[in-house]
């Protein structure tokens, strides 16, 4: 596996080694020793989640606060998404900045989003199956969110907002300045 650091400290794009032959392919999608060495951090995942969405579905930007904060290792099993992490760590030199990564079943890349980041994704293909591992259990009372269209972050979603499919909850998320503090 190749761990590619991003401009946001602690976020990595992970490129797995893919072995191809006439039968198809094989890849190791997770190995705890390799992963912890690659991200230079001990992370213990406790929960796996999966979602299925259609083109134009935007999920996020979400995070968990306090002791319920979550790190995520995300990938796409089918389709293509634009995956986004926003730095919400107070005092971070990249606070309020984002990293966007194209994840697909074709490129098989993964994205590691550590604690202290808001996370979301937009489905670019007709459908997508999205899979992610979390290092902490979901806790509804600790849930926070940021508006996907916050002008101070200015995410280039590479998609027309008029064609978005978004939950009622995500339509009314506050901007970063007014968001529930993750710390």
């Amino acid at each position: 596996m190749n761990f590619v650091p991003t401009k946001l400290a602690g976020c990595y794009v992970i490129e797995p080694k893919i072995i191809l032959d006439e039968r198809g392919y094989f890849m190791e999608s997770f190995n705890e020793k390799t992963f912890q060495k690659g991200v230079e951090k001990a992370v213990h995942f406790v929960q796996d989640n999966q979602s299925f969405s259609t083109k134009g579905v935007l999920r996020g930007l979400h995070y968990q606060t306090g002791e319920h904060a979550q790190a995520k290792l995300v990938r796409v099993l089918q389709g293509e998404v634009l995956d986004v992490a926003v730095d919400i760590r107070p005092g971070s030199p990249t606070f309020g900045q984002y990293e966007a990564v194209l994840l697909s079943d074709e490129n098989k890349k993964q994205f590691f989003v550590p604690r202290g980041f808001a996370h979301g994704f937009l489905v670019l293909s007709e459908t997508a199956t999205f899979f992610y591992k979390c290092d902490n259990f979901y806790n509804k009372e600790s849930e926070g969110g940021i508006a996907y269209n916050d002008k101070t972050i200015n995410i280039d979603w590479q998609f027309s907002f008029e064609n978005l499919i978004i939950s009622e909850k995500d339509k009314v998320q506050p901007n970063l300045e007014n968001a529930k503090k993750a710390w």
Side-chain angles (χ1 to χ4, degrees):
M1 287 186 178
N2 186 28
F3 292 78
V4 181
T6 70
K7 68 181 177 194
L8 304 178
C11 288
Y12 291 86
V13 175
I14 302 167
E15 302 168 333
K17 179 180 177 186
I18 301 167
I19 301 167
L20 294 165
D21 65 21
E22 65 277 357
R23 298 168 297 168
Y25 75 89
F26 172 84
M27 69 176 227
E28 185 175 77
S29 61
F30 180 76
N31 175 307
E32 187 174 49
K33 286 181 183 179
T34 303
F35 179 81
Q36 290 183 5
K37 183 179 177 187
V39 300
E40 301 170 350
K41 185 178 202 169
V43 179
H44 178 72
F45 294 108
V46 298
Q47 182 176 323
D48 285 350
N49 301 306
Q50 185 171 317
S51 69
F52 176 82
S53 304
T54 58
K55 187 173 190 167
V57 167
L58 190 148
R59 296 181 185 261
L61 299 160
H62 303 144
Y63 57 91
Q64 295 279 120
T65 61
E67 68 184 68
H68 300 287
Q70 292 178 319
K72 297 176 182 176
L73 176 61
V74 302
R75 65 187 174 123
V76 171
L77 301 175
Q78 174 271 315
E80 181 178 76
V81 308
L82 183 67
D83 198 72
V84 174
V86 177
D87 189 346
I88 58 173
R89 299 171 297 178
S92 168
T94 56
F95 179 84
Q97 294 181 30
Y98 75 94
E99 184 73 39
V101 179
L102 188 66
L103 303 177
S104 71
D105 59 347
E106 190 173 307
N107 71 24
K108 298 181 183 20
K109 291 180 180 178
Q110 299 179 68
F111 191 33
F112 175 65
V113 181
R115 293 179 180 198
F117 289 79
H119 175 257
F121 66 90
L122 173 67
V123 178
L124 301 174
S125 54
E126 288 306 311
T127 61
T129 302
F130 191 82
F131 179 84
Y132 56 107
K133 302 175 102 38
C134 298
D135 77 336
N136 207 349
F137 297 104
Y138 171 76
N139 180 282
K140 185 165 181 56
E141 292 75 38
S142 298
E143 184 177 52
I146 299 169
Y148 67 93
N149 57 354
D150 183 328
K151 299 231 184 295
T152 62
I153 302 169
N154 199 28
I155 297 169
D156 178 6
W157 288 103
Q158 304 174 21
F159 198 82
S160 171
F161 283 176
E162 63 194 38
N163 296 319
L164 284 181
I165 302 167
I166 191 163
S167 71
E168 291 304 314
K169 175 180 85 173
D170 287 343
K171 286 179 183 176
V172 298
Q173 293 288 7
N175 61 25
L176 179 59
E177 183 180 331
N178 297 319
K180 181 184 205 180
K181 303 303 181 207
W183 43 95

